[in-house]
Amino acid sequence: MNAPQKQDGFQVVGTRPVRPDGVDKVTGKALYGTDFKAPGMLQGAVLRSPHPHARIRAIDTRKAEALPGVKAVVTGRDFPSLQSLIMAVGESASDIVHVARNCLALDKVLYEGHAVAAVAATSPEIAREAAALIEVDYEVLPHVLGLEEALADDAPLLHDDVFTKGVSPRPDKPSNASMRVEMGKGDVDAALAGAAVVVSGRYTMEPVHQGYIEPHACVASWNADGQAQIWCSSQGHFAIRSLTASTLGIPQADIRVTPLEIGGGFGGKTTVYLEPVAMLLSRKAGRPVRLAMSREDVFRASGPAPGAVIDVRIGADADGMLVAAEVDFKYHSGAYPAITAHSGVSSAVGHYRIANTRLIGWEVLCNRPATKAYRAPGAPQVNFAVESAIDEIAGKLGMDPLELRLKNAVAPGDPQTSGVPFGMIGWIECLEAARAHPHWSAPLGPNQGRGVAGGYWGNYGGPSTASVSLGEDGSVLVTTGSPDIGGSRAAMAIMAAEVLEVPYEKVRCTIADTASIGFSMVTGGSRVTFATGKAVVDAANMVKDTLRERAARMWGVAAADVEWRDGAAHCTGGDKAGESMAIGTIAARAIFAGGPVSAEAAINAAGWLPGFGVHICDTEVDAETGQVRVVRYTAIQDVGRAIHPDYVEGQMQGGAVQGIGWALNETYIYNAQGKLDNPGFLDYRMPVASDVPMIDTVMVEVPNPDHPFGVKGVGEVPIVPPLAAVANAVARATGVRMHDLPLSPDRVYAALHPEG
Amino acid sequence: MTATAYHAPETIEQAVALLAGNPSARPLSGGTDLIVQMRSGRIAPAAVIDLKRIAGLSGVRRVGDGFAIGAATPCTALKDHAELAAAWPGVVEAANLIGSVQVRNRATMAGNLCNASPAADSVPALVAANATCLIAGPDGQREVPVAAIPQAPGRTSLAPGEFLVEIRLPARGVGDGDAYLRSIPRTEMDIAVVGAGANLTVDAEGRCTAARIALGAVAPTVVLVADAGAALVGSRFDDAAFAALAEAVKAACHPIDDKRGTIAYRKAMAAVLARRVVLTALKRAGAAA
Ligand SMILES: Cc1cc2nc3c(=O)[nH]c(=O)nc-3n(C[C@H](O)[C@H](O)[C@H](O)COP(=O)(O)OP(=O)(O)OC[C@H]3O[C@@H](n4cnc5c(N)ncnc54)[C@H](O)[C@@H]3O)c2cc1C
């Protein structure tokens, strides 16, 4: 790995201390979703639909209720009647009516695995047995899984109250196309007609799952007085609170949500599946209730990333300047409307200067689980098509694919797809770092090919609250409301330590429940180190100011005569000039001289910047079997500034590996009956350790001027380029361009042996 | 809801009695198939009969010039037995492709065989090796070829009350070599799309004097491809022999189209793997000659 350059002027930022939550996690003490127990807790089970599309005529729960040990049974009818209300939580926005219906179906089931009823009982076995005793009378309806099929005139309609958004005039008939997004500029057709080279192609893929290791789980306890508690693992307990309160029609202040450790989310844990149902069961039973998904449930009923059909046409002049791009894609929304097409459109070709663009995205309803955010939601799919096409242009022009990208790369000040100019982005620096990297010029072995691809993600800021307070001994407590998925406790502690100029080990970081700290948006959008980090820095600065004032008061000098250095106040004027007072001394006395030292910052963080990445991939293809082996991989990324470089590199490596899995073997497989055929890690093939080489990383640091330490979001960018980087490497190894993911051995074999 | 009883008998007779007395009881070796199937609800046996405590059921023994492998011996232990690994490298490598290190520290070849999956990795290698199994049951003990055990996916020829005591491998001589190869989409933790085992004898002139080729995952049970062996016997492994091998292998495949592979891909891979596995076995036979 690449050690960062010495961070000039920083003491703690850029160092690699052990994460504060590490020991608990590696010794098995950390409490994850199913580790939490409440006294008197019941165990829940969910009955799920065997049909991909059916009307629920009736549900008979009497046999289940009669089973000894069963304390409550609920169905969709136990939700209050709800008015349509769009709620945005992080990277997605949903109508709360749909959120509630997804938790428990009401009139129709819309996918195999859709929850229809739930039971709470004294043991998990009794709960499962009772769930199996629930009789559901279904009227089975024709189902539709494919994007093109769902848009056909005679396709089965999922919702009769969804009209395509984004087309005018407003359609008068409901449709499975829930949304159309279009952006662009110039005259694409004329520019393509005049281009020296035009490439076009259709690219496809099925949905893929985030593959977090921990299935969804929660415990809910709802008292007769209306007050409730929820303990769960999620990417945002405030989002769990708002979605649960809205779907149940109760005040947010009546629900206190305590975050448990989270075993991965990648965007998939930004919504509720179980919490409102556990609440309903708990209210009926009068006891706390645990609900937990199995791995099969996770695959059948939690949100994957959309599959796609993407049509691309891109043209360039003879010098390799891109003149026009047309991208028209369709994404699965699954059972309920999604908004992923927005970011697909805005990120499709935004990394290039192209005068003429037509970018159209469709959201398409079909009988699959509702799609959810997955790391840079909506970007990898369309990037795969665009970066494959760019590679083809380089091939046709006989140009080096990095040179072609450099020639067309956007720089600070260039307009984004939205028209707003880019700030201090580091895309060109990444491309130059790739060109200079030894990997780019290393010799290739037989049957090997080298691919490169680049891409970006917009990142986000938004609302966060953080507090910093001192113990009487001067140790520092940082409290946030941002669940730690990627090492953010360490990053928060580093930033507070940097501001207060104390050792990292003096700072401890807690993620507080919804009643103990103000609102924070979800851990998503690569926002936490940027936005929550900004709040931590603000609060730490307030604490530092307070410490200087207190020291000044103790010395009887003006605050202006006190300087903060090395974790101590130093008197620079008056008769105490030259004296100093350490943080511990001030803290001990401050309690009785002005009160405890504590500050809270509640901000809406602006000034976030997009992150760019370039990935280089070498593959070796066994033409006789179609096996593709990734033999070398380098991920290069503008990270702004790495607060904790290990965790930044970890994000880059993790994103690259997930992208490699997406490219090579991961895919949902539905059978003709509309049932998922691979709801487990045996046949849903994520990479295992031996499938991937060491992922080399290069952190390019172009600091963000709008963050005190220069942070840019880093978590999502690295899943954007791998799909095309792998596909381009396979194309160069074999001479055959493949348009359909995954590039599994049977497909590669078929492409290389068209004769059969 | 029915609870499952757990028994850990210490003699073969006790185990037979427990199994014979309860038609839904299942033997348990490593449990890496059985427990998974119980958890998923696919099976609900009234009792599991753990074989690991029975004396002699764990470990590898020399029997004359051959080997007897106790039915409860985990795959990892096969690799650690230097003589076995030198004599039957193909069988040992097949057993040590199963799952991961953790799985192999529990999983056994007997369980692999009696689970009767068409894709079981050790089975083509055992069939190519002409291995037999010793079976204990209410009527005493009998010895049958490994190939006689699987009848259909999930079904064996074992009668009620019967279980495998050991797997026996014959003696090895000069010019013998075996090998196993499988095709999987990943590099580990996967299920064979096609598996191929080869067991050859080569004379001092490099001529094939005996060859057994067995395929997994291309039919409801393991297939011993007699024509494939015949294609090699008498040859010096020339192109014509390999061409005949490929044709014989393809003709013997009756695979299904499923999520793990198409018929066309499985047939093509069977031919590729058969050639590659023969080349590896040949190298080992040459080293032994
Ligand atoms: C993660 C994972 C990965 C895997 N990967 C592979 C793989 O790559 N290749 C592969 O082939 N398999 C694989 N398997 C399946 C399994 O591990 C193997 O089939 C293994 O060899 C089974 O052996 P066992 O001792 O665990 O069998 P058990 O689970 O103990 O038994 C399997 C079956 O055989 C019966 N049985 C057991 N012992 C006897 C006996 N002595 N006499 C009669 N019947 C008996 C049991 O009742 C049961 O029906 C995998 C399993 C897991 C969980």
Side-chain angles (χ1 to χ4, degrees):
Chain A
M1 273 185 281
N2 307 271
Q5 304 108 1
K6 165 101 184 70
Q7 305 287 335
D8 289 332
F10 293 118
Q11 297 301 316
V12 199
V13 165
T15 62
R16 303 171 184 245
V18 168
R19 61 198 295 162
D21 47 318
V23 171
D24 264 2
K25 284 179 176 168
V26 299
T27 56
K29 291 178 191 160
L31 291 183
Y32 288 90
T34 53
D35 293 323
F36 180 81
K37 288 188 188 70
M41 182 179 83
L42 299 171
Q43 304 281 349
V46 172
L47 177 70
R48 297 181 180 279
S49 168
H51 307 295
H53 197 189
R55 200 171 301 285
I56 299 174
R57 288 206 200 93
I59 302 179
D60 186 343
T61 59
R62 283 172 298 180
K63 283 186 191 152
E65 279 154 358
L67 190 72
V70 170
K71 302 295 178 190
V73 179
V74 298
T75 69
R77 308 236 161 259
D78 288 282
F79 276 94
S81 66
L82 294 165
Q83 295 297 313
S84 175
L85 167 72
I86 305 291
M87 279 191 96
V89 289
E91 286 168 314
S92 56
S94 314
D95 190 324
I96 58 138
V97 176
H98 293 150
V99 173
R101 301 295 171 259
N102 197 31
C103 287
L104 280 177
L106 191 61
D107 302 318
K108 283 217 296 186
V109 290
L110 297 172
Y111 54 95
E112 185 225 6
H114 198 159
V116 287
V119 179
T122 48
S123 78
E125 291 79 12
I126 296 173
R128 278 199 293 273
E129 193 179 344
L133 289 173
I134 296 172
E135 288 165 10
V136 185
D137 180 9
Y138 291 108
E139 176 194 344
V140 176
L141 302 170
H143 69 273
V144 63
L145 298 170
L147 289 162
E148 312 268 43
E149 292 85 340
L151 294 177
D153 283 340
D154 57 350
L157 201 61
L158 272 79
H159 299 272
D160 52 20
D161 57 351
V162 171
F163 298 80
T164 312
K165 273 193 195 148
V167 293
S168 57
R170 181 182 188 273
D172 51 11
K173 279 197 314 201
S175 165
N176 287 331
S178 62
M179 186 172 81
R180 179 183 186 275
V181 188
E182 178 167 356
M183 293 173 105
K185 60 188 173 189
D187 185 341
V188 170
D189 297 319
L192 285 176
V197 40
V198 175
V199 300
S200 64
R202 165 165 282 207
Y203 295 82
T204 72
M205 65 189 76
E206 291 291 292
V208 295
H209 199 270
Q210 298 87 346
Y212 34 82
I213 200 71
E214 183 199 23
H216 302 255
C218 71
V219 175
S221 180
W222 195 356
N223 292 338
D225 69 356
Q227 296 190 72
Q229 291 210 62
I230 295 173
W231 299 265
C232 65
S233 120
S234 80
Q235 286 177 247
H237 39 302
F238 288 92
I240 300 297
R241 182 182 71 175
S242 40
L243 291 169
T244 304
S246 303
T247 50
L248 298 178
I250 59 177
Q252 291 186 356
D254 279 359
I255 310 178
R256 175 178 176 187
V257 186
T258 301
L260 301 169
E261 291 300 339
I262 172 168
F266 309 107
K269 289 182 183 161
T270 53
T271 189
V272 291
Y273 297 107
L274 303 174
E275 289 80 1
V277 181
M279 286 278 284
L280 291 170
L281 287 168
S282 172
R283 186 176 56 183
K284 268 201 184 175
R287 285 162 66 171
V289 175
R290 169 188 290 164
L291 275 180
M293 286 194 186
S294 66
R295 178 65 57 195
E296 273 205 22
D297 295 340
V298 170
F299 274 109
R300 289 193 203 282
S302 76
V309 172
I310 306 154
D311 291 305
V312 177
R313 278 202 301 160
I314 300 184
D317 68 16
D319 296 331
M321 297 303 299
L322 301 174
V323 296
E326 180 179 54
V327 182
D328 188 329
F329 67 84
K330 300 167 189 77
Y331 282 175
H332 294 108
S333 334
Y336 296 100
I339 58 165
T340 319
H342 269 299
S343 55
V345 162
S346 58
S347 69
V349 296
H351 44 319
Y352 297 118
R353 288 179 174 150
I354 309 177
N356 305 285
T357 57
R358 182 158 59 227
L359 312 164
I360 301 168
W362 295 87
E363 284 287 342
V364 183
L365 296 158
C366 54
N367 295 109
R368 299 167 177 267
T371 55
K372 269 292 149 225
Y374 176 18
R375 233 175 167 152
Q381 295 93 329
V382 72
N383 182 273
F384 161 60
V386 168
E387 288 292 292
S388 295
I390 295 288
D391 208 56
E392 279 197 295
I393 291 183
K396 285 202 171 172
L397 289 172
M399 268 182 84
D400 177 292
L402 269 178
E403 295 304 331
L404 177 73
R405 286 174 172 84
L406 264 166
K407 212 168 191 162
N408 293 282
V410 289
D414 283 338
Q416 307 184 39
T417 305
S418 65
V420 177
F422 277 114
M424 281 300 294
I425 55 172
W427 170 219
I428 290 171
E429 288 83 346
C430 289
L431 289 162
E432 284 169 347
R435 191 170 51 181
H437 196 281
H439 184 174
W440 186 240
S441 45
L444 285 164
N447 307 314
Q448 294 184 352
R450 177 164 298 144
V452 66
Y456 77 111
W457 178 245
N459 293 325
Y460 197 55
S464 274
T465 308
S467 81
V468 174
S469 58
L470 297 189
E472 302 99 287
D473 60 355
S475 55
V476 183
L477 290 149
V478 173
T479 307
T480 75
S482 297
D484 177 356
I485 309 192
S488 58
R489 281 185 185 87
M492 300 305 133
I494 286 175
M495 289 187 274
E498 185 71 45
V499 172
L500 294 170
E501 301 186 41
V502 297
Y504 166 82
E505 293 74 17
K506 255 199 154 168
V507 184
R508 295 300 180 205
C509 192
T510 298
I511 297 143
D513 65 75
T514 54
S516 304
I517 182 91
F519 180 85
S520 287
M521 204 175 162
V522 294
T523 297
S526 301
R527 61 178 294 278
V528 169
T529 307
F530 174 78
T532 306
K534 258 186 156 178
V536 167
V537 170
D538 283 0
N541 274 317
M542 289 186 242
V543 163
K544 188 163 84 176
D545 289 345
T546 305
L547 287 165
R548 284 175 46 230
E549 282 162 22
R550 299 291 172 84
R553 192 184 320 178
M554 291 171 201
W555 278 319
V557 301
D561 289 332
V562 178
E563 195 180 278
W564 192 261
R565 202 165 7 94
D566 296 334
H570 299 267
C571 194
T572 56
D575 54 354
K576 299 281 167 64
E579 284 191 22
S580 68
M581 222 186 296
I583 190 167
T585 314
I586 307 173
R589 291 167 59 186
I591 299 199
F592 304 103
V597 181
S598 175
E600 184 172 286
I603 64 167
N604 182 19
W608 68 89
L609 285 176
F612 287 76
V614 180
H615 289 198
I616 309 169
C617 172
D618 294 355
T619 59
E620 185 173 307
V621 180
D622 183 337
E624 273 192 341
T625 64
Q627 290 272 355
V628 175
R629 204 157 61 84
V630 177
V631 291
R632 187 169 179 184
Y633 201 99
T634 305
I636 298 145
Q637 187 174 321
D638 170 27
V639 303
R641 179 166 280 120
I643 299 298
H644 191 304
D646 275 358
Y647 302 148
V648 173
E649 289 164 347
Q651 290 295 321
M652 292 166 67
Q653 293 171 321
V657 170
Q658 285 186 313
I660 290 169
W662 196 335
L664 289 183
N665 277 306
E666 289 182 42
T667 190
Y668 270 46
I669 305 171
Y670 276 88
N671 63 25
Q673 290 73 46
K675 301 188 186 198
L676 185 61
D677 243 358
N678 60 336
F681 286 136
L682 177 55
D683 287 301
Y684 182 86
R685 292 190 166 77
M686 298 184 70
V688 298
S690 52
D691 288 339
V692 285
M694 177 66 188
I695 307 292
D696 200 3
T697 56
V698 178
M699 294 181 293
V700 174
E701 295 192 314
V702 178
N704 177 357
D706 278 327
H707 184 279
F709 303 126
V711 166
K712 292 175 184 168
V714 299
E716 292 171 289
V717 180
I719 203 172
V720 181
L723 280 55
V726 172
N728 291 342
V730 170
R732 287 182 187 252
T734 61
V736 177
R737 164 77 45 194
M738 295 185 61
H739 295 86
D740 306 305
L741 296 182
L743 307 182
S744 50
D746 53 338
R747 288 195 180 176
V748 175
Y749 179 85
L752 297 182
H753 301 266
E755 75 288 352
Chain B
M1 232 187 359
T2 45
T4 303
Y6 170 82
H7 300 284
E10 294 185 349
T11 67
I12 289 175
E13 294 69 31
Q14 286 168 0
V16 168
L18 284 163
L19 284 167
N22 192 336
S24 96
R26 289 290 194 107
L28 171 94
S29 288
T32 61
D33 278 317
L34 191 67
I35 305 288
V36 175
Q37 290 163 13
M38 287 170 64
R39 263 188 57 132
S40 74
R42 190 131 59 94
I43 55 170
V48 295
I49 316 301
D50 188 345
L51 306 177
K52 290 194 289 293
R53 306 263 176 92
I54 300 174
L57 251 74
S58 296
V60 180
R61 282 185 300 124
R62 291 305 304 235
V63 176
D65 290 331
F67 298 87
I69 300 165
T73 311
C75 296
T76 307
L78 307 181
K79 205 174 56 178
D80 294 344
H81 194 283
E83 284 173 278
L84 178 69
W88 291 103
V91 171
V92 172
E93 80 191 341
N96 283 281
L97 281 176
I98 292 174
S100 61
V101 173
Q102 291 93 326
V103 171
R104 293 192 290 272
N105 285 345
R106 282 271 162 189
T108 65
M109 290 202 294
N112 198 222
L113 177 60
C114 295
N115 186 54
S117 157
D121 277 309
S122 69
V123 176
L126 286 171
V127 169
N130 220 351
T132 60
C133 15
L134 182 67
I135 296 167
D139 302 328
Q141 301 199 342
R142 60 190 178 105
E143 187 175 349
V144 300
V146 160
I149 300 289
Q151 297 294 296
R155 196 152 56 78
T156 68
S157 59
L158 296 176
E162 284 191 327
F163 69 95
L164 248 70
V165 174
E166 63 191 30
I167 291 174
R168 294 175 171 180
L169 285 164
R172 294 305 260 168
V174 171
D176 288 338
D178 78 327
Y180 176 78
L181 262 183
R182 67 173 179 176
S183 152
I184 51 170
R186 285 183 290 205
T187 50
E188 253 192 306
M189 292 296 282
D190 219 323
I191 192 158
V193 177
V194 176
N199 177 22
L200 309 175
T201 307
V202 182
D203 69 17
E205 276 77 55
R207 196 179 305 276
C208 181
T209 60
R212 286 171 67 88
I213 310 297
L215 301 177
V218 295
T221 59
V222 59
V223 186
L224 177 70
V225 190
D227 289 349
L232 297 176
V233 172
S235 81
R236 280 200 160 92
F237 302 94
D238 46 64
D239 289 350
F242 276 116
L245 170 78
E247 286 317 307
V249 160
K250 282 191 195 167
C253 288
H254 299 286
I256 52 167
D257 257 327
D258 73 358
K259 60 190 173 191
R260 292 178 184 143
T262 59
I263 290 172
Y265 184 66
R266 286 191 147 119
K267 282 196 172 191
M269 284 315 99
V272 170
L273 290 193
R275 195 190 72 244
R276 291 183 180 183
V277 80
V278 164
L279 287 172
T280 304
L282 178 60
K283 214 189 256 170
R284 289 171 180 168

